[in-house]
Coordinates of all heavy atoms in Angstrom, one line a residue:
S394 N 2.3 9.4 3.6 CA 2.8 10.3 4.5 C 3.6 9.7 5.7 O 4.6 10.2 6.1 CB 1.7 11.3 5.1 OG 0.8 10.5 5.9
R395 N 3.1 8.5 6.1 CA 3.8 7.7 7.1 C 5.2 7.3 6.6 O 6.2 7.3 7.4 CB 3.0 6.5 7.6 CG 1.6 6.9 8.3 CD 1.8 7.3 9.7 NE 0.5 7.3 10.4 CZ 0.1 6.3 11.1 NH1 0.8 5.2 11.3 NH2 -1.1 6.3 11.7
V396 N 5.2 6.8 5.4 CA 6.5 6.3 4.8 C 7.4 7.4 4.7 O 8.6 7.3 5.0 CB 6.2 5.6 3.5 CG1 7.5 5.2 2.8 CG2 5.4 4.3 3.7
L397 N 6.9 8.6 4.2 CA 7.8 9.7 4.0 C 8.4 10.2 5.4 O 9.6 10.6 5.4 CB 7.0 10.9 3.5 CG 6.9 11.0 1.9 CD1 6.0 12.2 1.5 CD2 8.2 11.0 1.3
K398 N 7.6 10.1 6.4 CA 8.2 10.5 7.7 C 9.3 9.5 8.1 O 10.3 10.0 8.6 CB 7.0 10.4 8.8 CG 7.4 10.9 10.2 CD 6.1 10.9 11.1 CE 6.5 11.4 12.4 NZ 7.3 10.5 13.2
L399 N 9.2 8.3 7.9 CA 10.2 7.3 8.2 C 11.5 7.6 7.4 O 12.6 7.5 7.9 CB 9.7 5.9 8.0 CG 8.7 5.3 9.0 CD1 8.2 4.0 8.5 CD2 9.3 5.2 10.4
V400 N 11.3 7.9 6.1 CA 12.4 8.2 5.2 C 13.2 9.4 5.7 O 14.4 9.4 5.7 CB 11.9 8.4 3.7 CG1 13.0 8.9 2.8 CG2 11.4 7.1 3.2
R401 N 12.5 10.4 6.0 CA 13.1 11.7 6.5 C 13.9 11.4 7.8 O 15.0 11.9 8.0 CB 12.1 12.8 6.6 CG 11.6 13.3 5.3 CD 10.7 14.5 5.5 NE 10.3 15.1 4.2 CZ 9.1 15.1 3.7 NH1 8.1 14.5 4.4 NH2 8.8 15.6 2.5
E402 N 13.3 10.7 8.7 CA 13.9 10.5 10.0 C 15.1 9.6 9.8 O 16.2 9.8 10.4 CB 12.9 9.7 10.9 CG 11.8 10.6 11.4 CD 10.8 9.9 12.2 OE1 10.9 8.6 12.2 OE2 9.9 10.5 12.8
S403 N 15.1 8.6 8.9 CA 16.2 7.8 8.6 C 17.4 8.5 8.0 O 18.5 8.3 8.3 CB 15.8 6.6 7.7 OG 16.9 5.9 7.2
F404 N 17.0 9.5 7.1 CA 18.1 10.2 6.4 C 18.8 11.1 7.4 O 20.0 11.3 7.4 CB 17.5 11.1 5.3 CG 18.5 11.6 4.4 CD1 19.0 10.9 3.3 CD2 19.0 12.9 4.6 CE1 19.9 11.4 2.4 CE2 20.0 13.4 3.8 CZ 20.5 12.7 2.7
Q405 N 18.0 11.8 8.3 CA 18.6 12.6 9.3 C 19.5 11.8 10.2 O 20.6 12.3 10.6 CB 17.5 13.4 10.1 CG 16.8 14.4 9.3 CD 15.7 15.0 10.0 OE1 15.1 14.5 10.9 NE2 15.2 16.2 9.5
D406 N 19.1 10.6 10.6 CA 19.9 9.8 11.5 C 21.2 9.4 10.8 O 22.3 9.3 11.4 CB 19.1 8.5 11.9 CG 18.0 8.9 12.8 OD1 18.0 9.9 13.5 OD2 17.1 8.0 12.9
E407 N 21.1 9.1 9.5 CA 22.2 8.6 8.7 C 23.3 9.7 8.4 O 24.5 9.5 8.4 CB 21.7 8.0 7.4 CG 22.8 7.2 6.6 CD 22.2 6.4 5.5 OE1 20.9 6.3 5.4 OE2 23.0 5.9 4.6
Y408 N 22.8 10.9 8.0 CA 23.7 11.9 7.5 C 23.8 13.2 8.5 O 24.7 14.0 8.3 CB 23.2 12.5 6.2 CG 23.4 11.4 5.1 CD1 22.3 10.6 4.7 CD2 24.6 11.2 4.5 CE1 22.4 9.7 3.7 CE2 24.7 10.2 3.5 CZ 23.7 9.5 3.1 OH 23.8 8.5 2.1
S409 N 22.9 13.2 9.4 CA 22.8 14.4 10.3 C 22.8 15.7 9.5 O 23.4 16.7 9.9 CB 24.1 14.4 11.2 OG 24.1 13.3 12.0
E410 N 22.0 15.7 8.4 CA 21.9 16.8 7.6 C 20.4 17.2 7.6 O 19.5 16.5 8.0 CB 22.3 16.5 6.1 CG 23.8 16.3 6.0 CD 24.6 17.5 6.2 OE1 24.1 18.6 6.0 OE2 25.8 17.4 6.5
D411 N 20.2 18.5 7.0 CA 18.8 19.0 6.9 C 18.0 18.1 6.0 O 18.6 17.5 5.0 CB 18.9 20.4 6.3 CG 17.6 21.1 6.5 OD1 16.6 20.7 5.8 OD2 17.5 22.0 7.3
A412 N 16.7 18.0 6.3 CA 15.9 17.1 5.5 C 15.8 17.6 4.0 O 15.3 16.8 3.2 CB 14.5 17.0 6.1
L413 N 16.2 18.8 3.7 CA 16.2 19.3 2.3 C 17.0 18.3 1.4 O 16.8 18.3 0.2 CB 16.8 20.7 2.2 CG 15.9 21.8 2.7 CD1 16.6 23.1 2.7 CD2 14.6 21.9 1.8
F414 N 18.0 17.6 2.0 CA 18.8 16.8 1.2 C 18.3 15.3 1.1 O 18.9 14.5 0.6 CB 20.2 16.7 1.8 CG 21.0 18.0 1.6 CD1 21.1 18.9 2.6 CD2 21.7 18.2 0.5 CE1 21.8 20.1 2.4 CE2 22.4 19.3 0.3 CZ 22.5 20.3 1.3
C415 N 17.1 15.1 1.6 CA 16.6 13.7 1.7 C 16.2 13.2 0.3 O 15.5 13.9 -0.5 CB 15.3 13.7 2.6 SG 14.7 12.1 2.9
Y416 N 16.7 12.0 0.0 CA 16.3 11.4 -1.3 C 14.8 11.0 -1.3 O 14.4 10.3 -0.4 CB 17.1 10.0 -1.4 CG 18.5 10.1 -1.7 CD1 19.5 9.7 -0.8 CD2 19.0 10.6 -3.0 CE1 20.8 9.8 -1.1 CE2 20.3 10.6 -3.3 CZ 21.3 10.2 -2.3 OH 22.6 10.3 -2.6
L417 N 14.1 11.5 -2.2 CA 12.7 11.1 -2.4 C 12.4 10.6 -3.8 O 11.2 10.3 -4.1 CB 11.8 12.3 -2.0 CG 11.9 12.8 -0.6 CD1 11.0 14.0 -0.4 CD2 11.5 11.7 0.4
G418 N 13.4 10.6 -4.7 CA 13.1 10.3 -6.1 C 12.8 8.8 -6.3 O 12.3 8.4 -7.3
D419 N 13.0 8.0 -5.2 CA 12.6 6.6 -5.3 C 11.1 6.4 -5.1 O 10.6 5.3 -5.3 CB 13.4 5.8 -4.3 CG 14.9 5.8 -4.6 OD1 15.4 5.3 -5.6 OD2 15.7 6.4 -3.8
I420 N 10.5 7.4 -4.5 CA 9.1 7.3 -4.2 C 8.2 8.2 -5.1 O 8.6 9.3 -5.4 CB 8.9 7.7 -2.7 CG1 9.9 7.1 -1.8 CG2 7.4 7.4 -2.2 CD1 9.9 7.6 -0.4
L421 N 7.1 7.6 -5.6 CA 6.3 8.3 -6.5 C 4.8 8.1 -6.2 O 4.4 7.0 -5.9 CB 6.5 7.8 -7.9 CG 5.9 8.6 -9.1 CD1 6.5 10.0 -9.2 CD2 6.1 7.9 -10.4
L422 N 4.0 9.2 -6.2 CA 2.6 9.2 -6.0 C 1.9 9.8 -7.2 O 2.3 10.9 -7.6 CB 2.2 10.0 -4.7 CG 0.8 10.3 -4.4 CD1 0.0 9.1 -4.1 CD2 0.6 11.3 -3.3
F423 N 0.9 9.1 -7.7 CA 0.2 9.7 -8.9 C -1.3 9.5 -8.7 O -1.7 8.6 -8.1 CB 0.8 9.2 -10.2 CG 0.4 7.8 -10.6 CD1 -0.7 7.6 -11.4 CD2 1.1 6.7 -10.1 CE1 -1.1 6.3 -11.7 CE2 0.8 5.5 -10.5 CZ -0.3 5.2 -11.3
G424 N -2.0 10.3 -9.4 CA -3.5 10.3 -9.4 C -4.1 11.6 -9.6 O -3.3 12.6 -9.9
N425 N -5.4 11.8 -9.4 CA -6.0 13.1 -9.5 C -5.7 14.0 -8.4 O -5.9 13.7 -7.2 CB -7.5 12.9 -9.6 CG -8.3 14.2 -9.9 OD1 -8.5 14.9 -8.9 ND2 -8.6 14.5 -11.1
K426 N -5.1 15.2 -8.7 CA -4.6 16.1 -7.7 C -5.7 16.5 -6.7 O -5.5 16.5 -5.5 CB -3.9 17.3 -8.3 CG -3.3 18.3 -7.3 CD -2.7 19.4 -8.0 CE -2.1 20.4 -7.0 NZ -1.4 21.6 -7.7
N427 N -6.8 16.9 -7.3 CA -7.9 17.4 -6.4 C -8.5 16.3 -5.5 O -8.8 16.6 -4.3 CB -9.0 18.0 -7.3 CG -8.6 19.2 -8.0 OD1 -7.9 20.1 -7.5 ND2 -8.9 19.3 -9.3
R428 N -8.6 15.1 -6.0 CA -9.1 14.0 -5.2 C -8.1 13.5 -4.2 O -8.5 13.1 -3.1 CB -9.6 12.9 -6.1 CG -10.8 13.3 -6.9 CD -11.4 12.1 -7.7 NE -12.7 12.5 -8.3 CZ -13.4 11.7 -9.1 NH1 -12.9 10.5 -9.4 NH2 -14.5 12.1 -9.7
L429 N -6.8 13.6 -4.5 CA -5.8 13.2 -3.6 C -5.6 14.2 -2.5 O -5.1 13.9 -1.4 CB -4.5 13.0 -4.3 CG -4.3 11.7 -5.1 CD1 -3.0 11.8 -5.9 CD2 -4.1 10.5 -4.1
K430 N -6.0 15.5 -2.8 CA -5.9 16.6 -1.8 C -4.4 16.7 -1.4 O -4.0 16.6 -0.3 CB -6.7 16.4 -0.6 CG -8.2 16.4 -0.9 CD -9.0 16.4 0.4 CE -10.5 16.3 0.1 NZ -11.1 16.9 -1.1
I431 N -3.5 16.9 -2.4 CA -2.1 17.0 -2.2 C -1.8 18.2 -1.3 O -2.2 19.3 -1.6 CB -1.4 17.2 -3.6 CG1 -1.6 16.0 -4.5 CG2 0.1 17.4 -3.3 CD1 -1.1 14.7 -3.9
Y432 N -1.1 17.9 -0.2 CA -0.7 19.0 0.7 C 0.9 19.0 0.8 O 1.5 18.1 0.2 CB -1.3 18.8 2.1 CG -1.1 17.4 2.7 CD1 0.0 17.1 3.5 CD2 -2.0 16.4 2.4 CE1 0.1 15.8 4.0 CE2 -1.9 15.1 3.0 CZ -0.8 14.8 3.8 OH -0.7 13.6 4.3
S433 N 1.4 20.0 1.4 CA 2.8 20.3 1.4 C 3.7 19.1 1.8 O 4.8 18.9 1.2 CB 3.2 21.5 2.2 OG 2.8 21.2 3.6
E434 N 3.3 18.3 2.7 CA 4.1 17.2 3.2 C 4.3 16.1 2.2 O 5.4 15.4 2.2 CB 3.5 16.6 4.5 CG 3.6 17.5 5.7 CD 3.1 16.8 6.9 OE1 2.8 15.6 6.9 OE2 3.0 17.5 8.0
I435 N 3.4 15.9 1.3 CA 3.5 14.8 0.3 C 3.7 15.3 -1.2 O 3.8 14.5 -2.1 CB 2.4 13.8 0.4 CG1 1.0 14.5 0.0 CG2 2.3 13.2 1.7 CD1 -0.1 13.6 -0.1
Q436 N 3.6 16.7 -1.4 CA 3.7 17.1 -2.8 C 5.0 16.8 -3.4 O 5.1 16.7 -4.7 CB 3.4 18.6 -2.8 CG 4.5 19.5 -2.4 CD 4.3 21.0 -2.7 OE1 3.3 21.3 -3.3 NE2 5.2 21.8 -2.2
E437 N 6.1 16.6 -2.7 CA 7.4 16.4 -3.2 C 7.5 15.0 -3.9 O 8.4 14.7 -4.7 CB 8.5 16.5 -2.2 CG 8.7 18.0 -1.8 CD 9.5 18.1 -0.6 OE1 9.7 17.1 0.1 OE2 10.0 19.2 -0.3
I438 N 6.5 14.1 -3.6 CA 6.5 12.8 -4.3 C 5.4 12.7 -5.3 O 5.2 11.6 -5.9 CB 6.4 11.6 -3.3 CG1 5.1 11.7 -2.5 CG2 7.6 11.6 -2.3 CD1 4.8 10.4 -1.7
Y439 N 4.6 13.8 -5.5 CA 3.5 13.8 -6.4 C 4.1 13.9 -7.8 O 4.9 14.8 -8.1 CB 2.5 14.9 -6.1 CG 1.3 14.9 -7.0 CD1 0.5 13.8 -7.1 CD2 1.1 16.0 -7.8 CE1 -0.6 13.8 -8.0 CE2 0.0 16.0 -8.6 CZ -0.9 14.9 -8.7 OH -1.9 14.9 -9.6
L440 N 3.6 13.1 -8.7 CA 4.2 13.0 -10.1 C 4.2 14.4 -10.8 O 5.3 14.8 -11.3 CB 3.4 12.0 -10.9 CG 3.8 11.9 -12.4 CD1 5.2 11.4 -12.5 CD2 2.8 10.9 -13.1
D441 N 3.1 15.1 -10.9 CA 3.0 16.3 -11.6 C 4.0 17.3 -11.1 O 4.6 18.1 -11.8 CB 1.6 16.9 -11.7 CG 0.7 16.0 -12.5 OD1 1.2 15.0 -13.2 OD2 -0.5 16.2 -12.5
Y442 N 4.1 17.4 -9.7 CA 5.0 18.4 -9.1 C 6.4 18.0 -9.4 O 7.2 18.9 -9.7 CB 4.7 18.3 -7.6 CG 5.6 19.2 -6.8 CD1 5.3 20.6 -6.6 CD2 6.8 18.8 -6.2 CE1 6.1 21.4 -5.8 CE2 7.7 19.6 -5.5 CZ 7.3 21.0 -5.3 OH 8.1 21.8 -4.6
R443 N 6.7 16.7 -9.4 CA 8.1 16.3 -9.7 C 8.5 16.6 -11.1 O 9.6 17.0 -11.4 CB 8.3 14.8 -9.4 CG 9.6 14.2 -9.8 CD 9.8 12.9 -9.1 NE 9.9 13.0 -7.7 CZ 9.8 12.0 -6.8 NH1 9.6 10.8 -7.3 NH2 9.8 12.2 -5.5
V444 N 7.6 16.3 -12.0 CA 7.8 16.6 -13.5 C 8.1 18.1 -13.7 O 9.1 18.4 -14.4 CB 6.6 16.2 -14.3 CG1 6.8 16.7 -15.8 CG2 6.5 14.6 -14.3
D445 N 7.4 19.0 -13.0 CA 7.6 20.4 -13.2 C 9.0 20.8 -12.6 O 9.7 21.6 -13.2 CB 6.5 21.2 -12.5 CG 5.2 21.1 -13.2 OD1 5.2 20.8 -14.4 OD2 4.1 21.4 -12.6
R446 N 9.3 20.2 -11.4 CA 10.6 20.6 -10.8 C 11.8 20.1 -11.7 O 12.7 20.8 -11.9 CB 10.7 20.0 -9.4 CG 9.7 20.5 -8.4 CD 9.8 21.9 -8.0 NE 9.4 22.9 -9.0 CZ 8.1 23.1 -9.3 NH1 7.1 22.5 -8.6 NH2 7.7 24.0 -10.2
L447 N 11.7 18.9 -12.2 CA 12.8 18.3 -13.0 C 12.9 19.1 -14.3 O 14.0 19.3 -14.8 CB 12.6 16.8 -13.2 CG 12.8 15.9 -12.0 CD1 12.5 14.5 -12.3 CD2 14.2 16.1 -11.5
A448 N 11.7 19.5 -14.9 CA 11.8 20.2 -16.1 C 12.5 21.5 -15.9 O 13.3 21.9 -16.8 CB 10.4 20.5 -16.6
E449 N 12.3 22.2 -14.8 CA 13.0 23.4 -14.4 C 14.5 23.1 -14.3 O 15.4 23.9 -14.7 CB 12.4 23.9 -13.1 CG 13.2 25.1 -12.5 CD 12.7 25.4 -11.1 OE1 11.6 25.0 -10.7 OE2 13.5 26.0 -10.4
C450 N 14.8 22.0 -13.7 CA 16.2 21.7 -13.3 C 17.0 21.1 -14.5 O 18.2 21.0 -14.5 CB 16.3 20.6 -12.2 SG 17.8 20.5 -11.3
L451 N 16.3 20.7 -15.6 CA 16.9 20.1 -16.8 C 16.9 21.1 -17.9 O 17.5 20.8 -19.0 CB 16.2 18.8 -17.2 CG 16.3 17.7 -16.2 CD1 15.3 16.6 -16.6 CD2 17.7 17.1 -16.1
G452 N 16.3 22.2 -17.8 CA 16.1 23.2 -18.9 C 17.5 23.8 -19.3 O 18.4 23.9 -18.5
P453 N 17.6 24.3 -20.5 CA 18.8 24.9 -21.0 C 19.2 26.2 -20.3 O 20.4 26.5 -20.2 CB 18.6 25.1 -22.5 CG 17.1 25.2 -22.6 CD 16.5 24.3 -21.6
L454 N 18.2 27.0 -19.9 CA 18.5 28.3 -19.3 C 18.3 28.3 -17.8 O 18.7 29.2 -17.1 CB 17.6 29.4 -19.9 CG 17.7 29.6 -21.4 CD1 16.8 30.6 -21.9 CD2 19.2 30.0 -21.8
T455 N 17.7 27.3 -17.2 CA 17.5 27.2 -15.8 C 18.0 26.0 -15.2 O 18.0 25.8 -13.9 CB 15.9 27.3 -15.5 OG1 15.3 26.1 -16.1 CG2 15.3 28.6 -16.0
G456 N 18.6 25.1 -16.0 CA 19.0 23.8 -15.5 C 20.3 23.7 -14.8 O 21.0 24.7 -14.7

Side-chain angles (χ1 to χ4, degrees):
S394 65
R395 296 279 194 99
V396 173
L397 275 180
K398 185 173 183 290
L399 289 173
V400 170
R401 290 189 173 110
E402 290 173 352
S403 171
F404 193 88
Q405 289 173 341
D406 291 339
E407 189 173 349
Y408 292 99
S409 299
E410 293 290 338
D411 193 288
L413 286 172
F414 288 97
C415 186
Y416 288 113
L417 298 177
D419 298 294
I420 311 172
L421 189 66
L422 167 69
F423 74 94
N425 183 277
K426 181 179 180 180
N427 294 316
R428 291 184 174 179
L429 281 169
K430 299 190 186 321
I431 299 297
Y432 50 93
S433 58
E434 288 185 9
I435 62 171
Q436 74 170 355
E437 289 167 347
I438 64 170
Y439 181 60
L440 176 62
D441 293 351
Y442 180 86
R443 176 165 295 165
V444 169
D445 289 341
R446 298 290 77 74
L447 287 177
E449 170 192 343
C450 199
L451 296 168
L454 299 179
T455 59

